[in-house]
Amino acid sequence: MADVVKAGWISFVGEGGEYTVKPGQMFIRDTKLSWEFSCSASFSAHVISVPRHLVVPRVNSVRVLDRAYVTDAGMPEVTFLLKVIEMIDESVDHLGVSKSIRITLGDAFAALVSGIMSDCWGMESDAHASMTVAAARNVIERHLDSRDLSPRMVAQRIGVSLRTLHRSFSVSGHHRPPAREPRLRPQ
């Protein structure tokens, strides 16, 4: 389950911990765990239910589901998820809800929620981290003389967040990008 709080607050207490989720936050939890909750009188949220069997293959371990996740609803993946929900709300009367549409939406929501969970807890596959580091090194080598060279610029050039770039170097065993070698400039 994923709850994106629009107004008020909601508190969850259970085996997975104790959380208070405020407007602008998203809370992801496994309903297989026992949760008690309370909310403010003005509480309003988008509630998204994603079948567990669609999430499990997309995360590194079933144990990942033993945790709860709280993230900012402004996160790009959450914003995209909310835009998809808006689009569905606007077009459901015109499209109907066929079996193939339900299957496609289930897969899409599972992929988005799994990605959000991965970003929240820093889960990164070794292969993805290695590819990210290789791409980053390539950009670094091509721009060694550039005054604009920075981790942020590298992340933008390879199409990942700054956080993902740093995490990829950490996961792959490289704790930071290679230092610039001093270059002799003609005088």
Side-chain angles (χ1 to χ4, degrees):
M1 272 309 210
D3 301 277
V4 181
V5 177
K6 298 188 308 185
W9 54 265
I10 187 167
S11 289
F12 292 91
V13 178
E15 300 169 50
E18 188 171 326
Y19 304 88
T20 298
V21 189
K22 298 176 182 169
Q25 293 183 318
M26 178 183 207
F27 182 64
I28 301 172
R29 69 192 187 288
D30 187 354
T31 56
K32 193 173 185 181
L33 299 176
S34 177
W35 292 98
E36 291 183 24
F37 65 92
S38 59
C39 59
S40 65
S42 61
F43 174 71
S44 173
H46 285 289
V47 179
I48 304 144
S49 176
V50 180
R52 191 173 202 275
H53 72 273
L54 294 177
V55 174
V56 170
R58 290 177 165 87
V59 294
N60 292 338
S61 166
V62 178
R63 292 187 324 205
V64 169
L65 300 176
D66 292 340
R67 301 174 183 161
Y69 303 83
V70 178
T71 188
D72 178 17
M75 182 178 170
E77 294 84 353
V78 178
T79 302
F80 182 72
L81 177 70
L82 294 174
K83 291 291 183 190
V84 170
I85 291 170
E86 282 178 30
M87 183 201 64
I88 292 167
D89 284 346
E90 291 171 3
S91 58
V92 73
D93 292 336
H94 303 292
L95 295 175
V97 186
S98 70
K99 183 178 180 178
S100 63
I101 290 175
R102 283 195 316 267
I103 290 169
T104 301
L105 289 175
D107 285 338
F109 284 136
L112 285 167
V113 169
S114 300
I116 293 165
M117 290 167 55
S118 296
D119 197 47
C120 287
W121 282 93
M123 296 176 298
E124 184 92 30
S125 74
D126 291 341
H128 186 269
S130 294
M131 290 188 311
T132 301
V133 168
R137 286 181 179 277
N138 201 3
V139 168
I140 292 166
E141 288 172 8
R142 286 194 324 256
H143 294 91
L144 276 175
D145 292 329
S146 172
R147 290 187 175 159
D148 296 335
L149 182 60
S150 69
R152 184 169 307 285
M153 184 271 277
V154 172
Q156 288 173 342
R157 293 281 171 118
I158 63 174
V160 299
S161 69
L162 186 57
R163 182 176 173 188
T164 297
L165 178 69
H166 287 292
R167 189 173 53 238
S168 295
F169 271 91
S170 178
V171 167
S172 68
H174 300 91
H175 296 289
R176 63 179 107 148
R180 281 190 192 194
E181 292 182 19
R183 301 230 178 210
L184 299 176
R185 299 189 193 269
Q187 295 184 2

